[in-house]
Amino acid sequence: MKKKMLSILLTVVMTGAVMTGCGGADSKTDSKEASGEKNFIKIGIRADMVDQLASVCDKIEGLGYTVEEKVFDDSVQPDVALAEGSIDMNWYQHEPYMKSYNEENGTDLVMIEPKTFYPLFAMYSDKWESVAELPDGAVIGLCNDATNQARGLNMLQAQGLITLDDSVESPTMYDVKENPHNFEFIEAEMSVLPQSLGDADAICLAAGHMVNAGLPADGYLCTSDDNDVYAVGFAVRAEDKDAKWAKEIAEVVQCDELAEYFKTEKQGTQIPCWE
């Protein structure tokens, strides 16, 4: 009797481990997959986007899809998983970041249209109240990935603080030609960059990461003016770029529920592409 009860408990535990994300696979899903129709979709997201996916799960499942979420702690592994085929799509990055990843790793990931949202990109400081107050020798925190570091530097140039080498398409802090204020640049992974706020004079990053860190996102010194270039969407492997399921999912998440999530939970730091 004890062995039988243990067997039942183990079965329950194992079933719970498989049933992750928006829902779990069922016999209907299995039969559709067997017939060549894709209805079970594995979506990779960063840990800070779990609630975002949850806000649209009902919309996706309303189309007849079953979603399993795969959560990652950084901005690299979701692309690794997508390229190797352990997930079907991911939803966390903008197109310049994805293209940079492709170039560095020889992959062929593709962004599905329509895209979802523009991430507000800004400069924050807990020491100064305006760009004009930044002192000579100020320490400026930048993202350590190529595309977001370039975005931060271009924002600084737009503010008249530095001059970049205009022959470089995606500049790094080593491509600063003129630095009249003798700023010192440091870099960190964007999701942890808010932790540098106390050590730096200012940091440049996507505003949503301030919200993730429990910090106010509306007290920025300045914002970038290139939001549309950095719109976030669903990425898939090239073989799936015309897949019906990918297009339908990208379209259905453009909904009131997601717009409300961006407005309330993300404090307006993510701007819907469809509004």
Side-chain angles (χ1 to χ4, degrees), residues 11-12 37 91 97 111 118 134 144 168 191 205 224-225 240 255 259 272-273:
T11 300
V12 171
E37 181 182 350
W91 191 32
Y97 180 90
M111 189 72 68
Y118 310 126
L134 289 172
N144 68 352
V168 180
S191 63
L205 74 168
S224 177
D225 58 2
D240 293 322
C255 59
C273 289

Side-chain angles (χ1 to χ4, degrees), residues 56 58-63 65 114 234 246-258:
V56 295
D58 287 346
K59 289 289 186 179
I60 298 174
E61 293 193 331
L63 296 175
Y65 299 111
F234 288 91
K247 181 77 170 177
E248 286 186 342
I249 290 174
E251 289 175 346
V252 79
V253 301
Q254 293 196 340
C255 59
D256 292 342
E257 290 84 350
L258 188 57

Side-chain angles (χ1 to χ4, degrees), residues 178-240:
E178 297 178 16
N179 183 10
H181 300 286
N182 295 313
F183 291 149
E184 177 186 346
F185 299 107
I186 61 173
E187 56 183 358
E189 207 278 327
M190 183 158 56
S191 63
V192 301
L193 193 55
Q195 298 174 19
S196 301
L197 195 60
D199 300 319
D201 289 279
I203 58 174
C204 305
L205 74 168
H209 289 283
M210 295 291 285
V211 177
N212 296 339
L215 298 169
D218 57 352
Y220 44 77
L221 304 188
C222 63
T223 63
S224 177
D225 58 2
D226 56 1
N227 285 339
D228 56 336
V229 177
Y230 292 89
V232 172
F234 288 91
V236 299
R237 292 180 294 280
E239 66 200 58
D240 293 322

Side-chain angles (χ1 to χ4, degrees), residues 96-124:
Y97 180 90
M98 183 197 70
K99 287 181 176 179
S100 176
Y101 181 87
N102 281 338
E103 291 172 4
E104 292 176 4
N105 296 277
T107 50
D108 193 13
L109 308 182
V110 178
M111 189 72 68
I112 295 294
E113 295 286 350
K115 295 171 187 164
T116 312
F117 66 90
Y118 310 126
L120 181 68
F121 196 93
M123 180 192 293
Y124 292 91

Side-chain angles (χ1 to χ4, degrees), residues 129-201:
E129 295 184 358
S130 70
V131 171
E133 290 184 12
L134 289 172
D136 290 349
V139 177
I140 309 294
L142 300 170
C143 303
N144 68 352
D145 67 275
T147 53
N148 286 302
Q149 183 164 136
R151 194 177 186 191
L153 290 167
N154 283 321
M155 181 171 65
L156 293 175
Q157 179 170 252
Q159 293 293 318
L161 298 173
I162 61 172
T163 302
L164 297 169
D165 183 345
D166 58 11
S167 69
V168 180
E169 183 177 353
S170 185
T172 71
M173 57 187 178
Y174 303 107
D175 298 308
V176 177
K177 280 182 64 176
E178 297 178 16
N179 183 10
H181 300 286
N182 295 313
F183 291 149
E184 177 186 346
F185 299 107
I186 61 173
E187 56 183 358
E189 207 278 327
M190 183 158 56
S191 63
V192 301
L193 193 55
Q195 298 174 19
S196 301
L197 195 60
D199 300 319
D201 289 279

Side-chain angles (χ1 to χ4, degrees), residues 13-25 40-43 53 57 61 66-71:
V13 170
M14 291 176 68
T15 302
V18 173
M19 303 280 280
T20 60
C22 297
F40 186 77
I41 314 295
K42 294 181 180 179
I43 302 178
L53 180 57
C57 271
E61 293 193 331
T66 298
V67 173
E68 178 182 335
E69 67 181 27
K70 175 67 174 175
V71 182

